[in-house]
Structures are given as C-alpha cells and as structure tokens.
Amino acid sequence: MSTLNLGELLYRLGEKSERLFSALLSIIRSIITPKAIQRVPNFPLSTRLVMKKGYTIHEVISLHLQLSFLAYLGVNAVAIFLPNSFFTVLVLGLIYLLYLRWIFGSYGHYLVDPKQYVFFYGGVSTLAFLSFLGFVFLRERKAELRYYYIYVSIITIIILLFRWYFKHAFGRDYTYGVVEEVKKDLLRVFVHDDIGANVKPGYYWVPAVPDAEPGRIVKLLVEERFMRSSVPVRVLEVYLDQSSQTDTEPKAEAE
C-alpha cells in the first residue's frame, strides 16, 4: 500500500513538474518572441491613472512605458553603488530590455503609431543601459575625476544627437484629434498622446472652423514651447471621410 502511495506521489510530482516546466517555457518563449495579445492590457497603476481621466488604451501603454523607464533609471541609480554592480546593472538592463520588447510585441498594436514609440523607448533605454555600464566600468577602475567629466560630456552629446535624429525622423508640427464639442466659436478636441508632435493627451480648445462637427477627425497645428510640451493652436484640416486616416490619427481600436 505504501509502495502504491509512493508511486502515485512520484507520478503526481512528475506531472506537476512537467506542467511547471511547460509554463516556464511558455513564459520564456512569449518574452523572447512575443505575439500580439488581443486582450486589453491592465497595468494596475497606469490603467488607474489614465482611465480616471477618460483616456484610451493608447495612453495606458504610453504612460506605462514612461513609468517603466523611470523605474528602470531609479533602480539603476541605486544598483551602480552596490557590490558586483557591473553584473547587477547588466542583468537589470537585459531584463528591462526584454520586458520592453514584450510590451511592444504584445500590446504595440494598440498604439496609434507604434514605430515612433519603439524607436524612442528602444533608443533611450539602450543609451541608458550603456551609460550605466560605462559609469560602473569607470567607478570599478577608480578613474580620475576628469574621465567622468569627459564621459558625461560624450553621453550628453550622444543624447542630443539622438534627440535631433528623432525629431528629424518623427517630429511633426501637427497632430490629430477628435472633435468632442462645438461651443460658439470654439472646438473642444481630444488629442491622443503624440510623442512625434510632443503633445500630451487631453482636451484642448481651438478656434472653430466650418464642417468641424462632434466625432470628426481634425488635423491640428501645434505650437512648440520651450522645455514644455507642445499645444494644438488651430485646425488645419477637417476629415469629412473618416476612412482616410493615417497612421498618426486616432484608431477605432484605441478608443
């Protein structure tokens, strides 16, 4: 009887181990080669903050990307002073970059224009990863102070070049919005988070134009502000045919 119980126990243990191994393998596969998930993402903090304002899934993912990047910077700011910091920073960076890959692979299709978000966050995250590794390398070799100044200067130049290239490749002086309300000579327009136009999500008031009725998509001129996000200032075009959307216009699945 005890032999049978032991055999049954070993069988169940082996079965559970096999299931656990399969689950771990599935998780690893989904991280390395993520597939689009049709289920709406639910990142607790990002979802709570965004949905309170009545924004969309696009804004949930955008905010989550921002919070994830800030968290990565914060953790690394502590990790660089820990023992075995080079290995710690290396592992943290690889985990974060894989997580970033998983987010874009799984939920990138919910973004209004995923290309610009992939390029921006992929770029700044890689630069941050290499910057932390370089700092630890100098610290472990007890480099003189002047080398830190040189290193910071080089990193600053690279960041400025990246910013210039991003604006050159994706920067725009316009964005798109959806007319929510017409009030006398003003339009209340909802604009998605638009990293290319440097516009924060929200509702903006702009001068009214003919044919701009509630529900219609409009192209908006944005005005740059020094060290602040840009703001829509006037309507450039009203899209009477809603089927003629571009990649940077609001999509139905992101509403």
Side-chain angles (χ1 to χ4, degrees):
M1 186 72 175
S2 59
T3 304
L4 289 175
N5 289 339
L6 179 61
E8 186 179 353
L9 178 63
L10 291 174
Y11 176 79
R12 289 181 178 178
L13 184 62
E15 193 178 44
K16 288 183 179 181
S17 298
E18 185 178 354
R19 288 177 182 174
L20 179 62
F21 179 76
S22 297
L24 288 174
L25 194 63
S26 177
I27 292 172
I28 293 171
R29 191 183 296 115
S30 69
I31 292 173
I32 296 176
T33 56
K35 294 181 180 179
I37 298 175
Q38 301 307 320
R39 184 181 67 256
V40 174
N42 182 24
F43 305 117
L45 180 58
S46 306
T47 303
R48 191 178 302 113
L49 290 173
V50 167
M51 292 309 179
K52 279 183 178 179
K53 298 180 180 180
Y55 293 168
T56 67
I57 302 171
H58 170 86
E59 276 68 47
V60 172
I61 300 172
S62 177
L63 179 60
H64 186 71
L65 288 169
Q66 295 175 49
L67 295 177
S68 298
F69 181 66
L70 291 175
Y72 171 67
L73 294 180
V75 171
N76 271 279
V78 175
I80 57 177
F81 297 106
L82 297 176
N84 300 317
S85 54
F86 189 87
F87 177 76
T88 304
V89 169
L90 180 64
V91 171
L92 285 172
L94 292 176
I95 291 174
Y96 171 69
L97 291 174
L98 283 172
Y99 180 65
L100 203 61
R101 175 181 170 83
W102 176 79
I103 291 176
F104 283 121
S106 301
Y107 299 113
H109 58 287
Y110 282 109
L111 290 169
V112 172
D113 185 5
K115 295 187 296 295
Q116 58 184 354
Y117 287 87
V118 170
F119 184 87
F120 179 80
Y121 282 101
V124 295
S125 298
T126 301
L127 287 177
F129 174 52
L130 296 176
S131 298
F132 281 119
L133 281 180
F135 179 85
V136 171
F137 180 81
L138 291 175
R139 186 169 174 271
E140 289 184 347
R141 277 150 185 76
K142 297 180 172 56
E144 296 178 15
L145 187 60
R146 59 180 175 142
Y147 290 109
Y148 285 97
Y149 287 134
I150 294 171
Y151 181 69
V152 171
S153 299
I154 292 172
I155 293 300
T156 303
I157 292 171
I158 292 173
I159 291 173
L160 290 174
L161 286 173
F162 175 81
R163 181 176 181 274
W164 171 84
Y165 183 79
F166 179 81
K167 290 191 71 175
H168 177 74
F170 299 99
R172 289 176 281 102
D173 61 355
Y174 62 88
T175 187
Y176 296 90
V178 179
V179 178
E180 296 286 333
E181 180 183 355
V182 180
K183 190 173 183 180
K184 294 183 179 179
D185 57 346
L186 292 173
L187 300 176
R188 185 170 181 258
V189 182
F190 173 72
V191 176
H192 284 280
D193 174 84
D194 189 342
I195 197 172
N198 190 29
V199 175
K200 290 184 178 180
Y203 297 89
Y204 298 88
W205 290 97
V206 295
V209 295
D211 298 322
E213 300 174 358
R216 283 189 171 165
I217 294 171
V218 290
K219 184 177 182 179
L220 301 157
L221 177 70
V222 298
E223 182 181 83
E224 289 190 16
R225 298 186 297 177
F226 181 69
M227 298 298 288
R228 298 170 66 187
S229 60
S230 302
V231 292
V233 290
R234 65 183 177 87
V235 175
L236 295 174
E237 189 175 354
V238 179
Y239 290 90
L240 303 180
D241 180 8
Q242 306 293 58
S243 63
S244 61
Q245 295 182 353
T246 67
D247 288 341
T248 52
E249 294 176 34
K251 296 179 182 177
E253 63 267 26
E255 293 297 335

